[in-house]
Amino acid sequence: MSNDRLIYLPLGGAGEIGMNCYVYGFGPQDKERFIVVDLGVTFPDMDSTPGVDLILPDIQWLEARKDRIEAVFITHAHEDHVGAVGHFYGRLGAPIYTRAFTANIARRKLDEYGVGPETVTTVSAWPETTKTGPFTVGFLPISHSIPESSALVIDTPGGRIIHTGDFKLDETPGVGEAFDQDLWKSVAKQSVKALVCDSTNVFSQHPGRSENTVGPEIEKLFAQQKGMVVATTFASNVARVKTMAEAAQRAGRSVCLLGRAMRRMVEAAIETGVLADFPKVISAEDAREIPRENLMLLVTGSQGERRAASAQLANGKYMGLSLSEGDLFLFSSKTIPGNERGVIKIINQFSELGVDVVDDSSGIYHVSGHANRPDLERMHDIVKPQIVIPMHGEHRHLREHVKLCENKGLQGIVAVNGMMVDLSGNAPKVVEHIETGRTYLDGSVQVGALDGIVRDRIRMALNGHVIVTVIMDEQGDPLGEPWCEIKGLAETGTSNAPLVEVLEHDLGQFLMRAADKTLADDDKLEGELKRITRQVTQSEIGKKVEVTCVISRLS
Amino acid sequence: MSNDRLIYLPLGGAGEIGMNCYVYGFGPQDKERFIVVDLGVTFPDMDSTPGVDLILPDIQWLEARKDRIEAVFITHAHEDHVGAVGHFYGRLGAPIYTRAFTANIARRKLDEYGVGPETVTTVSAWPETTKTGPFTVGFLPISHSIPESSALVIDTPGGRIIHTGDFKLDETPGVGEAFDQDLWKSVAKQSVKALVCDSTNVFSQHPGRSENTVGPEIEKLFAQQKGMVVATTFASNVARVKTMAEAAQRAGRSVCLLGRAMRRMVEAAIETGVLADFPKVISAEDAREIPRENLMLLVTGSQGERRAASAQLANGKYMGLSLSEGDLFLFSSKTIPGNERGVIKIINQFSELGVDVVDDSSGIYHVSGHANRPDLERMHDIVKPQIVIPMHGEHRHLREHVKLCENKGLQGIVAVNGMMVDLSGNAPKVVEHIETGRTYLDGSVQVGALDGIVRDRIRMALNGHVIVTVIMDEQGDPLGEPWCEIKGLAETGTSNAPLVEVLEHDLGQFLMRAADKTLADDDKLEGELKRITRQVTQSEIGKKVEVTCVISRLS
């Protein structure tokens, strides 16, 4: 009997949507060889991560075992799957394998960190496979909202795993490979140990719609317009970008791409041969010279991102172009939960300009890139795995996906980030809980989510900040009055005197009367100064503030 | 010919959903007498108003003319209509008129500010009217999602205005007055100058559904449950609260109300006779002793509010009660845009506990309290006003509502906060733009939105905060090294030395070499210290930080 075991360990993406990072291991316990599937990021928000630039998985566990990592495989080029390759290459150093389009994007990211293009090996689709350690990995094409998305067929001595990546079942995806049921059936002929499966849309009851249902509707919409047409979608949704560009062309409009991501994605798609016949695009300079009824702008910012082209146009102007009464702005996209405020703000700004905004509320100008509930069931039926492990979902999605499986007699397990699952036996078994979490890219440094750095920033934002400076002379006595500065607080409170003066007065009184023992002890003195400061602000302005004390001792 | 004019001036609620405050004036220019309709609040968020407790309209314009205010009329008891009465009474001092249920709530709010109950006059429904200055005002019952919501019939020498307040057209509202079309038609027999009209649901294409469609569905759902049932809705939606309590009762469950607002609203409804036959409720203590299959909790927190009962139950326990595998949690409510993150967090926490969560995504467990597009048209048709002024909406809603009017030949005007509209002539005319905005209740003080206080807090949250302390001796020379404290920043940057040490070193170098002229000038010195601090943090950690300099000069 073999000592080897086959393990699955999500470090990101299981219990959340975003920041995907999955580890598969095979070998004797604590000597397993690993492959990593996807290195993604997720995005910060003001509520929980103000000032943070990007959120990355916590890969400390993996880093401590980097000599056991065979390779990293990237399923597709969305940020939540490929976004961390540049930030982590220095820490993991493993070779990266992916298909051409994704490789193009990954290499650009690595280049920003000075890592050469040879780090990424471009592989072809199934039946080509890559052998690395005990793993043989093939990229099985699957439709999604970005070119060349692939499931991974991971063969190990412990059995075959199919890791779906993000997917939908689209037989007419517009750009890229259609879902090929026969191909999938042929792969599933060999018994599949585990299907590790996208769960995003498990709550959507109807079968998903094909990308090709969107084009005719968009074309109708564009054909009716008399003013300028502006449309946004995820730049990486190359099929949609192409659909809209072609609709514009047929409506006699020149196409102008605005926003770095929009130009870069089309460029990558053309470079890698994914996109063959994209309409000719014009520059922003040329666009300014064209009558608005003959122009369409394809812009970034479908999620209301502050610095994207859509937000700048809503503010008035971008690259010399501006919208006005009678123009149309189309969101060919879904607003990701949490981004509503930003999107609604833009819609209202356009409304003030007299621009008509059309979003996906009618359901006809956008389709999802993820498999809906009936599509998930179809996938289960095609693959017929011994066990389904839902991933790419919040806890509610994973749990619902397992319920869906169990209702039809399929084995399923909810495994969230940090749960190491042993797949060697007939039933999956959680064998270890790894400490996982999030790493923040903050400016140019990576900091831990639990370091307290962001917590302090949130506290300053909620409570304001008082700085108390006290100078102690050579004898250990206070030299003059304490000095206070406030930041983010009302200048005047209930007593109608400036808050700073009330603070300095009360702190000064305390210093005058304080015992020598207190004055001599920095910690004790600081504790008292903070307590009094909070007491004063509570009574003056009703807030318990953050306090920083600077005690300088002359010597 | 009269010199009098009839004006409409929204100070809040037009161009946003929330913080309603509308002014009507009649009289000679700049001598008009005023009534104020509604004094509402809106709620802060971390993105734009961290640490703020409540957002109120900016009433400076009104306050400067308080001697011309006849009275305040409150249409209904939702926070965005009545929430500011307590905070503003001291500044406006005008008597308040409203119906019994709303008066009950308003008096509780005034009481918190030590203002007596006599400030609020309880009035009866139309045909009773209140005469005050040139205005005669009647409360015309209209259905909404709270008891005794009323439109105002405002008669002036300049004509009749109907201010709808928030409404839906519900002939079977469960609790409170049904929409009475005949009554409304009779009021509209006299020609109506302006219909100032709710716009919230102008984008909802189907006629709104009645409150009484929800009960049977909820009853079916509850009847199927084997574990504990917990449900949330807006506490002020007394009809829904009653529906759910009755459904529980019929399913053999005792009802326990959790959360202050839930108990207070039911109490107010019973006190004012709005609610006659509410099922007997039990205390949390008693609820703990009851088998879970015989219990229903009705809890606050439908919007995922952090401190509400729902969030606390999701965290594990509230008042000794906790949920577990097989229990049901029902959101009989819609998530207001911007609150998604909080609600989703709770749903995932419940998922981790094994609790099944049902929300309104099926559309059967909740109905909106606002008139949908066809209902708005029906309202226009009943009232047949000379002009429609959309209110209670963001810009996009107001604009769409005007378009809806114009498409059927009705006159409409988009008037946002601060636009004073003269209604005296045949066509409405914008005659003045009043500076409006928002006032923040921050702790116990009211601060202006543009005071820079919250801006500073946001900056500290985004950029972190460095405090630089420098002591200058009696000769004007630096005494020792500068001292730095950091808050909300990584401790170590790219040079691998502590950030504080790098800062102190570089600032010390600067001080050593600085010209006497610079050292002698606080502003100049501070400017340089800030510049160098930002330069160091930018190169060490990639962030341009907030800096506070404390320069102490010994003398």
Side-chain angles (χ1 to χ4, degrees):
Chain A
M1 195 185 125
S2 160
N3 268 333
D4 293 336
R5 62 180 193 175
L6 174 61
I7 60 167
Y8 164 76
L9 169 64
L11 294 178
E16 68 193 327
I17 294 182
M19 205 181 83
N20 293 277
C21 180
Y22 307 88
V23 180
Y24 292 92
F26 186 82
Q29 184 171 344
D30 296 330
K31 292 198 176 111
E32 296 91 351
R33 302 297 298 173
F34 299 127
I35 57 169
V36 179
V37 175
D38 291 340
L39 281 175
V41 300
T42 193
F43 296 97
D45 59 61
M46 187 70 186
D47 285 291
S48 60
T49 45
V52 169
D53 293 280
L54 265 185
I55 301 175
L56 318 167
D58 177 351
I59 54 157
Q60 285 183 71
W61 186 89
L62 210 50
E63 193 179 9
R65 292 157 182 79
K66 61 190 275 192
D67 55 317
R68 286 159 58 192
I69 305 173
E70 297 285 348
V72 174
F73 294 86
I74 308 290
T75 58
H76 64 286
H78 277 148
E79 287 296 317
D80 58 333
H81 296 261
V82 75
V85 288
H87 309 296
F88 282 162
Y89 186 76
R91 292 175 60 189
L92 298 180
I96 296 166
Y97 294 84
T98 191
R99 296 181 65 197
F101 179 78
T102 313
N104 185 299
I105 302 293
R107 286 191 187 110
R108 289 167 195 241
K109 291 182 180 295
L110 288 157
D111 184 56
E112 287 172 26
Y113 276 77
V115 181
E118 71 288 354
T119 309
V120 181
T121 304
T122 302
V123 296
S124 298
W126 182 267
E128 180 175 312
T129 57
T130 300
K131 211 179 142 29
T132 177
F135 302 97
T136 305
V137 181
F139 283 76
L140 184 62
I142 183 92
S143 39
H144 184 43
S145 47
I146 191 168
E148 292 191 345
S149 205
S150 302
L152 298 180
V153 182
I154 305 170
D155 283 322
T156 75
R160 171 168 284 188
I161 292 169
I162 296 186
H163 181 104
T164 65
D166 295 4
F167 77 97
K168 68 185 291 188
L169 302 182
D170 195 339
E171 272 131 30
T172 49
V175 168
E177 299 135 326
F179 173 64
D180 182 344
Q181 177 167 297
D182 294 338
L183 178 64
W184 273 74
K185 279 193 172 158
S186 75
V187 172
K189 255 187 198 151
Q190 179 182 328
S191 120
V192 173
K193 179 106 204 167
L195 176 69
V196 182
C197 188
D198 185 356
S199 310
T200 316
N201 282 1
V202 66
F203 289 106
S204 300
Q205 305 294 336
H206 307 289
R209 288 183 304 126
S210 167
E211 183 64 31
N212 84 345
T213 62
V214 179
E217 297 295 338
I218 290 181
E219 215 170 311
K220 256 186 273 172
L221 179 70
F222 285 6
Q224 293 159 10
Q225 302 308 313
K226 298 197 171 70
M228 198 194 298
V229 170
V230 187
T232 185
T233 189
F234 273 112
S236 56
N237 194 337
V238 175
R240 187 71 49 78
V241 170
K242 186 183 180 213
T243 295
M244 295 202 284
E246 287 176 347
Q249 199 179 35
R250 276 196 278 272
R253 292 172 183 272
S254 297
V255 177
C256 173
L257 305 179
L258 289 184
R260 203 163 58 107
M262 195 56 81
R263 291 192 308 275
R264 195 178 45 197
M265 278 293 168
V266 170
E267 203 178 286
I270 291 170
E271 277 175 26
T272 53
V274 164
L275 201 53
D277 45 352
F278 195 78
K280 184 176 163 297
V281 299
I282 61 171
S283 69
E285 291 71 34
D286 291 344
R288 277 180 239 144
E289 307 304 322
I290 287 182
R292 47 205 318 114
E293 66 270 24
N294 298 128
L295 184 61
M296 181 184 74
L297 312 179
L298 256 168
V299 308
T300 52
S302 66
Q303 299 304 309
E305 301 94 327
R306 257 176 235 193
R307 283 172 295 193
S310 65
Q312 302 211 42
L313 286 169
N315 277 331
K317 212 168 212 182
Y318 184 66
M319 305 281 284
L321 294 157
S322 58
L323 275 67
S324 59
E325 183 83 36
D327 291 343
L328 173 84
F329 192 98
L330 170 66
F331 283 91
S332 181
S333 54
K334 180 190 165 239
T335 303
I336 294 173
N339 295 340
E340 290 81 2
R341 280 205 193 102
V343 170
I344 288 174
K345 185 180 170 198
I346 287 179
I347 294 178
N348 281 311
Q349 286 177 307
F350 281 134
S351 178
E352 287 173 33
L353 294 172
V355 174
D356 295 315
V357 177
V358 173
D359 62 20
D360 85 322
S361 56
S362 66
I364 57 178
Y365 301 117
H366 175 66
V367 293
S368 171
H370 294 275
N372 288 356
R373 192 181 186 93
D375 309 319
L376 292 175
E377 297 203 64
R378 200 174 142 206
M379 177 57 91
H380 303 157
D381 295 343
I382 291 170
V383 175
K384 295 189 179 61
Q386 188 182 324
I387 172 177
V388 175
I389 307 181
M391 56 143 186
H392 207 280
E394 300 164 5
H395 195 282
R396 60 189 172 124
H397 301 104
L398 307 186
R399 180 165 177 259
E400 184 72 13
H401 198 164
V402 165
K403 277 196 200 174
L404 179 68
C405 292
E406 288 174 349
N407 282 342
K408 48 197 281 198
L410 250 173
Q411 205 174 183
I413 182 173
V414 173
V416 296
N417 294 343
M419 279 170 65
M420 185 192 286
V421 182
D422 185 346
L423 299 170
S424 311
N426 281 325
K429 216 167 71 188
V430 177
V431 287
E432 209 173 324
H433 288 268
I434 306 303
E435 213 174 298
T436 54
R438 299 176 154 208
T439 302
Y440 299 152
L441 181 72
D442 191 44
S444 55
V445 294
Q446 291 180 20
V447 303
L450 302 177
D451 289 0
I453 291 166
V454 171
R455 181 203 58 204
D456 281 352
R457 293 214 289 256
I458 292 173
R459 286 185 181 167
M460 287 190 286
L462 294 175
N463 309 325
H465 196 185
V466 174
I467 297 112
V468 178
T469 310
V470 172
I471 304 177
M472 310 295 284
D473 67 15
E474 289 83 347
Q475 284 73 45
D477 290 323
L479 187 64
E481 299 273 297
W483 184 270
C484 293
E485 299 264 351
I486 58 173
K487 207 171 171 82
L489 292 168
E491 287 180 10
T492 314
T494 44
S495 71
N496 276 321
L499 175 61
V500 162
E501 284 179 19
V502 180
L503 279 166
E504 289 173 352
H505 174 266
D506 286 17
L507 291 167
Q509 292 288 314
F510 156 75
L511 284 179
M512 262 173 49
R513 293 193 206 113
D516 285 350
K517 224 174 69 181
T518 306
L519 293 177
D521 181 336
D522 275 3
D523 286 346
K524 211 175 263 179
L525 183 56
E526 179 169 336
E528 287 297 293
L529 292 170
K530 285 189 174 176
R531 188 182 57 77
I532 295 163
T533 301
R534 292 211 176 97
Q535 210 171 285
V536 170
T537 56
Q538 177 65 40
S539 92
E540 281 291 304
I541 58 170
K543 288 184 90 87
K544 284 214 157 58
V545 299
E546 295 304 300
V547 189
T548 296
C549 290
V550 182
I551 301 169
S552 305
R553 294 185 184 274
L554 305 183
S555 54
Chain B
M1 197 183 123
S2 159
N3 270 332
D4 294 336
R5 63 179 193 176
L6 173 62
I7 59 167
Y8 164 77
L9 168 63
L11 294 177
E16 67 192 327
I17 293 182
M19 206 181 83
N20 292 277
C21 179
Y22 307 90
V23 180
Y24 293 92
F26 186 81
Q29 185 172 343
D30 296 330
K31 291 196 177 112
E32 297 91 352
R33 302 298 297 174
F34 300 127
I35 57 170
V36 179
V37 175
D38 291 341
L39 281 176
V41 300
T42 193
F43 297 97
D45 59 61
M46 187 70 185
D47 285 292
S48 59
T49 46
V52 169
D53 293 279
L54 265 185
I55 301 175
L56 317 167
D58 178 350
I59 54 157
Q60 286 183 71
W61 186 89
L62 210 49
E63 194 180 9
R65 292 156 184 80
K66 62 190 272 191
D67 55 318
R68 287 159 59 192
I69 305 173
E70 297 285 348
V72 175
F73 294 87
I74 308 290
T75 58
H76 64 286
H78 277 148
E79 287 295 316
D80 58 333
H81 295 261
V82 75
V85 288
H87 310 296
F88 281 162
Y89 186 76
R91 292 175 61 189
L92 298 180
I96 296 166
Y97 294 84
T98 190
R99 296 181 65 195
F101 179 78
T102 314
N104 185 299
I105 302 294
R107 287 192 185 108
R108 289 167 194 242
K109 291 182 181 297
L110 288 158
D111 184 56
E112 288 172 26
Y113 277 78
V115 180
E118 71 288 352
T119 308
V120 181
T121 304
T122 303
V123 297
S124 298
W126 183 266
E128 179 175 312
T129 58
T130 300
K131 211 180 141 30
T132 177
F135 303 98
T136 305
V137 181
F139 283 77
L140 185 61
I142 183 95
S143 40
H144 184 42
S145 48
I146 191 167
E148 292 191 343
S149 205
S150 302
L152 299 180
V153 182
I154 305 170
D155 283 323
T156 74
R160 170 168 284 187
I161 292 168
I162 295 185
H163 181 105
T164 65
D166 294 5
F167 76 97
K168 67 185 292 188
L169 303 182
D170 195 338
E171 272 131 30
T172 50
V175 168
E177 298 135 328
F179 173 63
D180 182 345
Q181 178 166 298
D182 293 338
L183 178 66
W184 273 74
K185 278 193 172 158
S186 75
V187 172
K189 254 187 199 153
Q190 179 182 326
S191 119
V192 174
K193 178 105 206 168
L195 176 71
V196 182
C197 189
D198 184 358
S199 310
T200 316
N201 281 0
V202 66
F203 289 107
S204 300
Q205 305 293 336
H206 306 289
R209 287 184 304 125
S210 167
E211 182 64 32
N212 84 345
T213 62
V214 180
E217 298 295 339
I218 289 180
E219 215 169 309
K220 255 186 273 173
L221 179 70
F222 285 6
Q224 294 159 11
Q225 302 309 312
K226 298 199 171 69
M228 198 194 299
V229 169
V230 187
T232 185
T233 190
F234 273 111
S236 56
N237 194 338
V238 175
R240 187 70 50 78
V241 171
K242 187 185 178 211
T243 295
M244 295 202 285
E246 287 175 348
Q249 199 180 34
R250 277 195 277 272
R253 290 171 184 272
S254 297
V255 177
C256 172
L257 305 179
L258 288 184
R260 204 163 57 106
M262 196 55 81
R263 290 193 308 275
R264 195 178 48 198
M265 279 292 168
V266 169
E267 203 178 285
I270 291 171
E271 277 175 25
T272 53
V274 164
L275 201 54
D277 45 351
F278 195 79
K280 184 174 163 299
V281 299
I282 61 171
S283 69
E285 292 69 34
D286 291 343
R288 276 181 240 143
E289 307 304 322
I290 287 183
R292 49 205 316 114
E293 65 271 24
N294 297 129
L295 183 62
M296 180 183 72
L297 311 179
L298 256 169
V299 308
T300 52
S302 67
Q303 299 303 309
E305 300 94 328
R306 256 175 237 193
R307 282 171 296 190
S310 65
Q312 301 211 43
L313 285 169
N315 277 331
K317 214 169 213 183
Y318 184 65
M319 304 280 283
L321 293 158
S322 58
L323 276 67
S324 60
E325 184 84 37
D327 291 341
L328 172 84
F329 192 98
L330 170 66
F331 283 91
S332 181
S333 54
K334 179 190 166 240
T335 303
I336 294 174
N339 295 340
E340 290 80 3
R341 280 204 194 103
V343 170
I344 288 173
K345 184 180 172 199
I346 287 179
I347 294 178
N348 280 311
Q349 287 177 304
F350 281 134
S351 177
E352 287 173 34
L353 294 172
V355 173
D356 295 316
V357 176
V358 172
D359 63 20
D360 85 321
S361 57
S362 66
I364 58 177
Y365 300 116
H366 175 66
V367 293
S368 171
H370 294 274
N372 288 355
R373 193 184 186 92
D375 310 319
L376 292 175
E377 297 203 65
R378 201 176 140 206
M379 176 58 89
H380 303 158
D381 295 343
I382 291 170
V383 175
K384 296 191 180 58
Q386 189 182 321
I387 173 178
V388 175
I389 307 182
M391 57 145 185
H392 207 279
E394 299 163 7
H395 194 282
R396 60 190 173 124
H397 301 104
L398 307 186
R399 180 166 177 259
E400 184 72 13
H401 197 164
V402 165
K403 277 196 198 173
L404 179 67
C405 293
E406 287 174 347
N407 282 342
K408 48 197 282 196
L410 251 173
Q411 207 176 181
I413 182 172
V414 174
V416 297
N417 295 343
M419 278 171 64
M420 186 192 286
V421 182
D422 185 347
L423 299 170
S424 313
N426 281 325
K429 219 168 71 188
V430 177
V431 287
E432 209 175 322
H433 288 268
I434 306 303
E435 214 174 295
T436 54
R438 299 177 154 207
T439 302
Y440 299 153
L441 181 72
D442 191 44
S444 55
V445 294
Q446 291 179 21
V447 304
L450 302 177
D451 288 0
I453 291 166
V454 171
R455 180 201 60 205
D456 281 353
R457 292 214 291 255
I458 292 173
R459 285 185 181 164
M460 288 190 286
L462 294 175
N463 309 325
H465 196 184
V466 174
I467 296 113
V468 178
T469 310
V470 172
I471 304 176
M472 309 296 284
D473 68 15
E474 288 84 346
Q475 285 72 47
D477 289 325
L479 186 64
E481 297 275 299
W483 183 271
C484 293
E485 300 263 351
I486 59 173
K487 205 169 173 83
L489 292 167
E491 287 181 10
T492 314
T494 43
S495 72
N496 276 322
L499 175 60
V500 163
E501 283 178 19
V502 181
L503 279 167
E504 289 174 352
H505 174 266
D506 286 18
L507 291 167
Q509 293 288 313
F510 156 75
L511 284 180
M512 264 173 48
R513 295 193 206 112
D516 286 350
K517 223 174 67 181
T518 306
L519 294 177
D521 181 335
D522 275 3
D523 286 346
K524 209 174 261 178
L525 182 55
E526 179 168 337
E528 288 296 293
L529 293 170
K530 285 189 174 177
R531 188 182 57 77
I532 294 163
T533 300
R534 292 212 176 96
Q535 210 172 285
V536 170
T537 56
Q538 177 66 41
S539 92
E540 281 292 303
I541 58 171
K543 287 184 91 85
K544 284 213 157 58
V545 299
E546 296 303 299
V547 188
T548 297
C549 290
V550 183
I551 302 170
S552 305
R553 293 185 184 274
L554 305 183
S555 55

